[in-house]
Amino acid sequence: MHIFSKKQPDLNWENPEVRQSLYDTVNWWLDKGIDGFRIDAITHIKKKPGFPDLPNPLKKDVVPSFDAHMNQPGIDKHLTELAEETFNNYDIMTVGEANGVEVEDAEQWVGEENGYFDMIFQFEHINLWGDKATFDLTEFKKVLTKWQKGLEGVGWNALFLENHDLVRAVSSMGNDTDMRKTSAKALATMYFFMQGTPFIYQGQEIGMTNVHFDSLDEYDDIQSVNKAKTMIKEGSKQEEAMEYIWESSRDNSRTPMQWNSTEQAGFTTGTPWLKVNDNYADINVAESYEDPNSVYNFYKKMIDIRRRSETLIYGTYELIEEKHPSVYAYLRHGEQEDFLIMVNMFDGREKMDFSKYNLKELVLANYEVNDRLNNSILLRPYEARMYKISK
């Protein structure tokens, strides 16, 4: 059985010998002293008994099969045994990629006492921002807040915007041309100070963007390439298929890391599996080191601010301006201090009144700010600020 690729066979988790062999392998690595695992596609290990045919009313060559193998009843037995035989016996960190898991199931998956893992990557929010034209910020806030409050006192959130299966956030949610650095910093501020552990995907910290290769042959992502070929077979024009690839291909986040402005972006002296993004001469690690206003140096500031504050790690989260269509604003409450995080997620200007929060100190901003703690704030395009507020 090959759910994701013909080159990727599935293990039969119903076979106890297979499971034991897997546990032996996991423990071999843990005995070596590694600090943990990211467990890929873990919700797909249980298959619907009998492998029934799936509905195909349109008689297509390929149909989605998730209903037969995603988070199926009985998966809890496999995951409980996995944890008991491996993870629970070591001082490590685990994060499971858990498509299909609902917040109502969170305690079972990441509960402090008996959860299978320490954290999970949930997929609800990432399905909302693939297309800037239809991006609904109020729904996006609703989903992220649901997970923030759903795990409060129960388990721990994994905070992320990018991974190897997604397009670049600055190209999808931000402005990757004349406001690339500004909007990348805004998106970073938006998620980085929520309750949970922030993850930074390679290239995100320098503001890497989507890539526009000229030919379908230059792409490698089996999911988007097959989809584009199906579109053409079913009557779409080549240009429409390429537009889909440019906007949706997972190869957008899989191009080689851009280290410097030399050939192949300093990634290799050979030929990489994918072409390097053409903008590597302008967007690379070496340039980011030298620029004090780079996205990279902004991430360093955020990490420093976060690690200095118990509130920004363990404090509770409160969404404010819930219905505002352009601004994501929330509070972090702690015993000693409170913080207000505000982010304009779009390219317009938004006047906000935060007078009831008694702003005390500007902690972080992606623009030069000279408002002298004026509680009436005009947020510029993709502007992000964090204030310490008086309790």
Side-chain angles (χ1 to χ4, degrees), residues 138 141 319-326:
T138 55
K141 290 189 282 189
L319 179 67
I320 59 176
E321 302 295 336
E322 179 182 354
K323 301 296 184 183
H324 199 290
S326 300

Side-chain angles (χ1 to χ4, degrees), residues 26 47 49 73 108 127 151 165 240 295 322 353 383-384:
V26 171
K47 314 303 191 290
Q108 190 175 10
N127 296 321
L151 284 182
D165 285 332
E240 293 173 316
V295 179
E322 179 182 354
D353 181 6
E383 181 166 10

Side-chain angles (χ1 to χ4, degrees), residues 24-38:
D24 291 344
T25 304
V26 171
N27 288 327
W28 185 88
W29 282 106
L30 292 171
D31 288 338
K32 288 285 185 186
I34 69 165
D35 292 319
F37 288 98
R38 173 200 174 276

Side-chain angles (χ1 to χ4, degrees), residues 18 29 103 152 162 167 185 189 212 295 312 375:
V18 170
W29 282 106
V103 71
E152 189 175 286
E162 291 192 8
V167 295
K185 293 173 186 178
T189 306
H212 281 200
V295 179
L312 292 173
N375 289 318

Side-chain angles (χ1 to χ4, degrees), residues 237-303:
K237 296 180 179 178
Q238 180 81 20
E239 294 78 10
E240 293 173 316
M242 291 308 300
E243 286 285 348
Y244 163 77
I245 284 278
W246 292 336
E247 293 178 3
S248 307
S249 177
R250 298 185 294 185
D251 285 336
N252 281 304
S253 61
R254 297 177 181 185
T255 55
M257 184 67 183
Q258 294 162 209
W259 293 105
N260 55 46
S261 59
T262 64
E263 189 176 1
Q264 304 289 19
F267 182 83
T268 181
T269 55
T271 303
W273 68 96
L274 285 174
K275 285 172 56 179
V276 174
N277 195 318
D278 288 340
N279 60 20
Y280 72 89
D282 299 314
I283 304 173
N284 59 69
V285 174
E287 183 276 334
S288 295
Y289 282 172
E290 297 298 321
D291 177 10
N293 294 314
S294 67
V295 179
Y296 168 80
N297 280 310
F298 193 82
Y299 269 98
K300 287 183 69 175
K301 285 181 187 176
M302 291 196 303
I303 292 169

